[in-house]
Amino acid sequence: MIDQYGPPPTSDEILDALDPEQRRVAKSVDGAVCVLAGAGTGKTRAITHRIAYGVLTGVMQPTQTLAVTFTARAAGEMRGRLRQLGVAGVQARTFHSAALRQLQFFWPRTYGADAPRLVETKVPLVAEAVQHCRLRADRAELRDLTGEIEWAKATQTAPDDYPAQVVAAKRKPPRDAAEVARVYAAYEKIKAGQGRMDFEDVLLLTVGLLDERIEVREQVQAQYRHFTVDEYQDVNPLQQRLLDLWSQNARSLCVVGDASQTIYSFTGATPSFLLGFRHRHRAAEVVELVRDYRSSPQVVHLANRLLTHATGEAAKHRLELISQRDAGPEPDFVEFGDEPGEAEGVARRVRKLLDQGVRAAEIAVLFRTNSQSEGYEQALADLGIPYVLRGAERFFERPEVRQAAVLLRGAARSAGASEDAGGLAAEVGAVLVSGGWTPEPPGGSGQVRERWESLNALVRLAEDFSAARPEATLADFVAELAERAVAQHVPTVEGVTLASLHAAKGLEWDAVFLVGLTEGMMPIHYADTADKVEEERRLLYVGITRAREYLTLSWALARSPGGRAGRGPSRFLDGLRNGGSGVPGRAARGRSADSGAAAGGSSWGGGEAKAARRSKAGPVRCRVCGRGLTEAAERKLARCMECPSDLDEAMFERLREWRLGQARLLGQPAYCVFTDATLTAIAEAQPGSVNQLAAVSGVTRTKINKFGEDVLAIVAGRDPEELADAYDPGADDDPGMPGDLPGQDVGEDGVGDAGVADAGVREGGIRGAGEVPGEA
């Protein structure tokens, strides 16, 4: 592969590495070109080879070339590929990063003062604005108001114009439009008074500077003559305005996108700029990339069939993908009795894939909202499967990674080129030994294994880096780490990925589980217009096209064990099962997991089907007042939150003390033993036998095997310290058969709404770094 090994390629070798359509893209280095690129068709390869070809043929100068995209991770990947192609000096940045760089350079020279300070989060300022307006808002409402302000600014809507614009856009604001406008105006006033700017201001101020100051605009336009825009379907009006100012006199402009992957309309993104590119640039060349190199024919066939039912403007321009891979297994469609059964069944299937040799890092569980993740976190933790939760601590901010960077910088300063016989990776490993890395992973899980996984990711990155640049020194690798840290371009880590569908955009795995595909969740219940429903369909399309080989789509008929089986599979699955034979997707509604699996051609086997079978004991009712319970926390406690509690406080504290000791012994977070809600339920129920303990929601057979004896002893009055001495953390690691015991349930604590994030690692609970689409 010319973009991984050996000396930099020649211009002819650049073209030889591409298919005919990609070659057309690469050779279009003058003028305007619009690339309609389907999922998995090698768009990043095409545009990076185009830039490399333009530089090698002398048409483009690296310092006059700017490539922009929407996430720091994608920009980092683009820079890495260009370096591997022997092209240095090309700027690859997010819109915000490129704009901020220009703003910080030109603002002091133009206005004689530093640019405003960047606000890291808007919520505190929005809260202050709400108070200023003498209104009230809880945390959820503050987040909604913040999102509404971001949409208004992205669509260049001023506070005074907001009410009318909401009506014109048929948008439903989180509260009265006039109130939102007041909060928006107050937010802007408070922010300006503090000399600060938010992420949208970075673009707005840059647009204003280029608009008002012709000398600045001419300097920028003289600096950059060649532009490439990735993920162009996600451009919002403000970003398009900035791009127009940048590229007004450009020699070349290349935009790449796929209208069928437009899933960020809530940020103001619209595919209209992509679909209307030919009208604005009459001489533009249009190239379609439809050869799918990522997914098997079975996955591609399913994705194509999903879009045959799509409507709207984007659907008119859908691309029919053609898989270039060998045949793989048919996608699985699996129906479960309830959500805990679905999580357990997926976890068991993940275990089978791992046993078959599929790497954990090549498996993903994708859901519509992050609040669905907890059940899958618990199910994977119960089976000892490491996972990556996209949306928590940033990889490069972990203490062990920061310490490793210090060690590597020190070693690079005190040594020249690597003389280690094993090369750069061996040298990095030798340095990181003092930070806790060993050639073999430590046993067990928890913090020790978490630290090792982080350090091992750096060693693996060094291996990849030295393979791409055999002459690289330790100092070069340290520079690479520094650049990746700025871009939050994290290395690959071992662990099953748990992510929202929005967070999965731009990623791919060997095996993908699309879970929770019920009406009301997919499409989401608040998708109340035809356009919103179609965006939900595109979101599912994005999820399907993340899979290379194994794809499973699943849903649960009830929310909790014993609950009413009143839910059905998503309308988007209509006609997709049985290889798209036309069998209605709702034909399996009301069936058992076995019949649902059979209808979809599933090869899961009895274990997963057994995990899906639940007793139909009727709805869970409050043990105090008898009301039917719907909230997860109430079902776990078996009572309404407002009903009086018979909690034994002393018992609860003993259970918490015992749990802390178990977590330390196992090296796991405390919630992996039991959540607070489960401990509360135990302290209220005061079980005296295994059967009574099993009836407590959240207590699975796995938990009983591991902790049942201890819990019953504490309920009976034993001191946690007495049990600690006799505890054997390896006494029974048999995961058992989920589904054999009643009362299993998902924990009550959610993890927030949909978000986007880069990955980190934690055994039994790996958490990763975050990045918001479009933010620098």
Side-chain angles (χ1 to χ4, degrees):
M1 297 288 293
I2 64 168
D3 56 345
Q4 291 186 8
Y5 303 102
T10 65
S11 59
D12 288 338
E13 289 172 333
I14 288 286
L15 297 180
D16 290 342
L18 305 175
D19 68 29
E21 293 78 25
Q22 293 171 343
R23 194 175 298 124
R24 280 184 59 197
V25 174
K27 294 178 72 173
S28 301
V29 291
D30 256 324
V33 57
C34 177
V35 184
L36 302 177
T41 57
K43 67 179 179 63
T44 304
R45 182 181 183 83
I47 59 179
T48 52
H49 279 64
R50 174 184 175 274
I51 293 172
Y53 181 78
V55 170
L56 292 173
T57 55
V59 176
M60 298 181 182
Q61 295 299 316
T63 56
Q64 293 184 335
T65 304
L66 175 62
V68 290
T69 186
F70 284 83
T71 67
R73 181 194 57 78
E77 180 183 356
M78 195 177 296
R79 286 193 297 270
R81 293 203 189 193
L82 289 171
R83 281 198 301 269
Q84 291 169 0
L85 290 170
V87 177
V90 173
Q91 293 290 320
R93 296 179 176 274
T94 65
F95 270 98
H96 288 81
S97 174
L100 181 61
R101 193 164 179 260
Q102 292 176 15
L103 202 62
Q104 290 174 335
F105 178 82
F106 287 109
W107 190 276
R109 290 163 175 77
T110 304
Y111 301 114
D114 291 338
R117 292 177 294 115
L118 193 62
V119 174
E120 292 187 3
T121 174
K122 299 182 181 70
V123 174
L125 288 178
V126 173
E128 189 174 345
V130 168
Q131 290 182 334
H132 178 81
C133 295
R134 296 183 180 180
L135 300 172
R136 290 187 177 183
D138 59 23
R139 290 182 61 186
E141 290 175 316
L142 287 175
R143 289 197 301 268
D144 289 343
L145 285 169
T146 299
E148 203 64 12
I149 290 172
E150 289 173 350
W151 173 83
K153 300 184 75 166
T155 54
Q156 302 180 79
T157 301
D160 290 344
D161 299 329
Y162 173 81
Q165 186 61 30
V166 165
V167 173
K170 297 180 180 179
R171 188 176 180 87
K172 291 186 177 180
R175 57 198 303 167
D176 181 74
E179 288 186 352
V180 176
R182 287 172 54 203
V183 172
Y184 178 14
Y187 165 82
E188 290 294 304
K189 183 176 181 180
I190 293 168
K191 175 168 54 65
Q194 296 178 1
R196 305 171 79 181
M197 63 179 175
D198 57 29
F199 275 106
E200 289 71 34
D201 288 334
V202 171
L203 302 186
L204 284 165
L205 292 176
T206 304
V207 165
L209 186 61
L210 296 175
D211 249 341
E212 296 170 6
R213 299 287 182 153
I214 188 171
E215 71 279 8
V216 175
R217 182 167 71 249
E218 289 177 345
Q219 190 171 343
V220 171
Q221 292 175 351
Q223 172 67 50
Y224 295 112
R225 305 286 293 154
H226 303 275
F227 291 87
T228 300
V229 186
D230 194 12
E231 304 288 1
Y232 192 55
Q233 77 278 350
D234 291 331
V235 163
N236 64 39
L238 180 56
Q239 291 162 334
Q240 181 61 47
R241 175 63 179 142
L242 179 59
L243 178 63
D244 288 340
L245 289 167
W246 280 344
S247 62
Q248 189 174 27
N249 297 316
R251 179 173 174 180
S252 73
L253 171 62
C254 174
V255 299
V256 189
D258 179 9
S260 295
Q261 296 187 68
T262 305
I263 59 174
Y264 294 117
S265 67
F266 57 86
T267 68
T270 170
S272 61
F273 298 115
L274 173 69
L275 300 178
F277 188 82
R278 186 71 178 270
H279 297 293
R280 299 193 311 277
H281 301 271
R282 296 291 181 180
E285 182 173 6
V286 178
V287 183
E288 291 187 357
L289 301 183
V290 296
R291 302 174 194 249
D292 189 314
Y293 297 95
R294 174 188 300 160
S295 303
S296 70
Q298 288 75 12
V299 172
V300 168
H301 175 67
L302 184 67
N304 285 337
R305 281 195 61 82
L306 176 66
L307 290 188
T308 61
H309 302 281
T311 60
E313 190 63 26
K316 297 177 184 177
H317 300 270
R318 72 181 185 87
L319 301 170
E320 187 82 12
L321 301 180
I322 304 170
S323 176
Q324 307 297 299
R325 293 190 52 168
D326 293 336
E330 289 291 339
D332 278 337
F333 294 82
V334 187
E335 184 174 275
F336 290 92
D338 53 67
E339 288 181 358
E342 184 178 10
E344 292 160 7
V346 167
R348 292 176 64 83
R349 177 59 171 166
V350 168
R351 170 54 67 193
K352 286 185 177 180
L353 289 173
L354 294 174
D355 292 343
Q356 293 170 11
V358 180
R359 289 176 52 211
E362 294 298 344
I363 302 174
V365 179
L366 307 180
F367 29 74
R368 177 58 180 84
T369 68
N370 281 348
S371 60
Q372 296 170 268
S373 76
E374 184 179 9
Y376 296 92
E377 293 180 58
Q378 188 67 65
L380 292 172
D382 284 347
L383 295 185
I385 299 172
Y387 62 84
V388 178
L389 180 62
R390 297 176 63 82
E393 185 184 21
R394 292 177 180 266
F395 178 84
F396 288 103
E397 293 174 3
R398 295 180 188 167
E400 63 270 22
V401 175
R402 296 174 67 176
Q403 180 191 17
V406 171
L407 293 172
L408 290 169
R409 282 198 300 270
R413 283 195 298 266
S414 61
S418 172
E419 298 178 357
D420 193 297
L424 178 61
E427 186 177 8
V428 169
V431 173
L432 297 185
V433 165
S434 60
W437 181 80
T438 56
E440 296 297 325
S445 60
Q447 295 181 359
V448 173
R449 180 62 179 259
E450 176 185 343
R451 285 177 54 85
W452 184 88
E453 291 283 5
S454 297
L455 298 176
N456 196 54
L458 296 177
V459 175
R460 288 199 309 270
L461 180 61
E463 292 172 352
D464 296 339
F465 187 69
S466 61
R469 296 179 55 185
E471 78 291 348
T473 65
L474 185 59
D476 295 327
F477 181 67
V478 169
E480 170 75 5
L481 283 182
E483 188 170 334
R484 280 173 170 261
V486 171
Q488 286 299 320
H489 183 200
V490 304
T492 302
V493 293
E494 282 300 326
V496 174
T497 299
L498 299 178
S500 71
L501 286 163
H502 284 95
K505 180 72 170 64
L507 303 175
E508 58 187 77
W509 297 270
D510 286 344
V512 169
F513 295 83
L514 302 177
V515 300
L517 300 182
T518 60
E519 278 292 310
M521 188 58 73
M522 176 56 67
I524 199 76
H525 63 89
Y526 52 76
D528 52 4
T529 66
D531 287 345
K532 290 179 180 178
V533 169
E534 285 308 310
E535 180 153 343
E536 293 288 299
R537 189 192 307 273
R538 295 194 295 270
L539 190 58
L540 179 59
Y541 175 80
V542 167
I544 290 172
T545 55
R546 300 310 94 192
R548 299 191 189 103
E549 184 173 4
Y550 303 99
L551 176 64
T552 299
L553 302 92
S554 65
W555 60 94
L557 298 178
R559 185 173 182 179
S560 60
R564 185 175 67 87
R567 301 191 301 187
S570 166
R571 71 187 75 171
F572 298 146
L573 302 184
D574 286 357
L576 297 186
R577 283 182 274 183
N578 281 340
S581 62
V583 177
R586 298 176 198 271
R589 182 174 288 180
R591 296 178 180 177
S592 69
D594 299 286
S595 62
S602 172
S603 59
W604 281 39
E608 285 76 8
K610 187 173 183 180
R613 288 197 295 268
R614 301 283 169 163
S615 62
K616 305 302 179 186
V620 178
R621 296 191 176 278
C622 175
R623 53 188 164 82
V624 180
C625 69
R627 181 178 68 85
L629 303 177
T630 58
E631 297 300 322
E634 292 183 334
R635 294 198 311 274
K636 186 178 288 291
L637 297 174
R639 64 169 173 82
C640 303
M641 296 304 292
E642 60 269 19
C643 284
S645 168
D646 48 2
L647 174 70
D648 185 325
E649 295 284 354
M651 182 187 298
F652 179 73
E653 290 305 318
R654 291 200 306 273
L655 286 168
R656 282 173 57 91
E657 182 183 347
W658 164 83
R659 181 184 64 173
L660 180 60
Q662 303 313 302
R664 288 172 176 169
L665 284 170
L666 294 171
Q668 292 182 338
Y671 73 83
C672 286
V673 179
F674 283 115
T675 64
D676 278 350
T678 300
L679 292 187
T680 301
I682 292 171
E684 289 189 354
Q686 301 182 30
S689 67
V690 170
N691 286 338
Q692 291 175 357
L693 179 60
V696 176
S697 180
V699 180
T700 64
R701 175 173 175 176
T702 301
K703 299 295 187 183
I704 290 178
N705 286 341
K706 289 184 176 182
F707 310 123
E709 186 177 343
D710 279 7
V711 171
L712 291 174
I714 290 175
V715 171
R718 290 279 297 277
D719 191 310
E721 292 185 2
E722 297 177 22
L723 300 173
D725 295 336
Y727 179 69
D728 177 5
D732 187 355
D733 291 326
D734 177 15
M737 292 290 289
D740 288 347
L741 296 172
Q744 299 183 37
D745 200 357
V746 179
E748 81 289 359
D749 296 326
V751 292
D753 278 331
V756 187
D758 277 323
V761 64
R762 179 169 78 206
E763 184 82 359
I766 305 172
R767 302 218 173 229
E771 70 180 6
V772 176
E775 292 193 358

